[in-house]
Structures are given as structure tokens and as C-alpha cells.
Amino acid sequence: GICTPELMNKLTGHPASSFDAVFCNDCNRLFRETGFAAHLDAMQMLMANMMHETCNFVYMQEIADGWAYENRSDLGNTSPGDGPKYKGAGVLQLTGKFNYSRLSEGINDPKVMNGVDYVSNTYPFTSAKIWIEENNLLSVCLTQGFDQCCVRINGGWNGYEDRLNKYHICQRHMK
């Protein structure tokens, strides 16, 4: 796979030692299982956006405590404590008991339902798989390019300059 501790050091400036095998293997798994591994430019687009969304992989779970999601039936949060338990996890912030359950079923791991700590530590990248597939992100990248990749992920133009800067870094180092 393309993701190695050395590559992540070049992309983020963080020490290679801060990227373990679980992290790198899960990144490679996401690229492989979503088809991005076969398309370098699309992979660079996705990596740049994931770097932006997590501040270069520093925040692998939502900073907020998650209580804002309590009793949000639209997210499937119907039991006490579901808000914090199922707050945003991983590179694209998987959120809500409903979405966690879909991931759990999709990758056949019931432990996903343990919540945010398990998902952010075990599936930092795979946590985004279902969203990427359902939003046809690979097709967007291949046919519409970087700007539309950003809009599909973000819903607008928040952080565009940073995303673009990270895309240029990815173009230099991901080969």
C-alpha cells in the first residue's frame, strides 16, 4: 500500500513513529476497498481532504463532547449517552448510532458499537468507507476534480485554501 509511516511524516511533518501499523494498514485498506488505490490523483485529493478534516491526523475524533447529538433520532441516538458515545470518529467524522451500526454491519465487526474510542483507534479510515461509496466520491474525483471533491466532503468551501495546500503536498510526496 501507499501509506507508510515515512510517507505520513512527509505529508504531515509529524514523526513517522506517531503512525503505527494499525493506522497505515487501515489507510491502505480504505484506498483499496473504495477503488482509490488504482487512481493516484484521486487518492491525493482524498488524502488532502482527510488531512484537513483531522488537522493532519491529530484529531481522529470530534473535539466536542458529543452531547449536542443526544436524543437526535435522525442519527439513531435514542438511548441515554448515545450522543457522546457515537460522536464523530475517524477521518470524515462518522457520527450517530445509526451510522455506526451501518459500519458495524458493513465490515462485520460488532465491536464498532462500543463507540467513538474503538472506531477512532481501530478504523480511523475505514470509518469513512460507507460514506465514500454512497457519495460516489471516487467518481466525483475522477470526473469533476479536486474542487468538487472538496465540496462533496465539506458541503461548501470551508478551509479550501488549506485543502488545496495539502493537495499540493500530496502531489509532491504521493507517487
Side-chain angles (χ1 to χ4, degrees):
I2 193 165
C3 183
T4 63
E6 295 72 29
L7 174 66
M8 299 312 286
N9 163 253
K10 288 178 184 163
L11 296 181
T12 67
H14 299 308
S17 59
S18 59
F19 301 99
D20 65 10
V22 170
F23 182 92
C24 292
N25 291 342
D26 198 53
C27 180
N28 288 322
R29 174 186 179 178
L30 177 68
F31 286 146
R32 188 177 61 251
E33 291 185 359
T34 56
F36 276 81
H39 304 280
L40 180 60
D41 193 42
M43 212 171 11
Q44 293 163 341
M45 292 177 200
L46 177 55
M47 182 68 89
N49 275 279
M50 293 186 304
M51 288 165 60
H52 172 80
E53 294 292 335
T54 60
C55 297
N56 282 343
F57 306 113
V58 171
Y59 301 105
M60 298 307 288
Q61 55 181 265
E62 190 171 354
I63 298 167
D65 62 17
W67 286 106
Y69 304 124
E70 191 72 355
N71 300 314
R72 286 272 307 273
S73 57
D74 59 317
L75 295 173
N77 293 344
T78 54
S79 301
D82 280 354
K85 184 174 184 178
Y86 300 113
K87 72 178 188 175
V91 291
L92 295 183
Q93 301 290 288
L94 179 76
T95 305
K97 187 192 273 182
F98 174 71
N99 290 317
Y100 276 68
S101 69
R102 293 174 68 231
L103 175 66
S104 176
E105 291 163 18
I107 63 173
N108 195 26
D109 183 352
K111 289 187 192 157
V112 164
M113 300 313 292
N114 291 350
V116 63
D117 291 334
Y118 180 78
V119 171
S120 61
N121 290 317
T122 311
Y123 300 114
F125 293 89
T126 298
S127 58
K129 179 180 189 283
I130 292 169
W131 186 91
I132 286 170
E133 292 171 345
E134 289 182 350
N135 284 274
N136 299 310
L137 191 63
L138 179 58
S139 175
V140 170
C141 292
L142 294 174
T143 63
Q144 300 173 51
F146 178 72
D147 286 4
Q148 289 309 306
C149 171
C150 296
V151 169
R152 181 65 58 102
I153 288 172
N154 178 255
W157 296 100
N158 288 341
Y160 179 76
E161 289 300 320
D162 184 61
R163 292 171 199 272
L164 186 60
N165 180 46
K166 288 174 178 4
Y167 179 46
H168 294 311
I169 292 168
C170 290
Q171 288 176 311
R172 278 199 301 278
H173 296 291
M174 293 174 74
K175 297 180 185 330

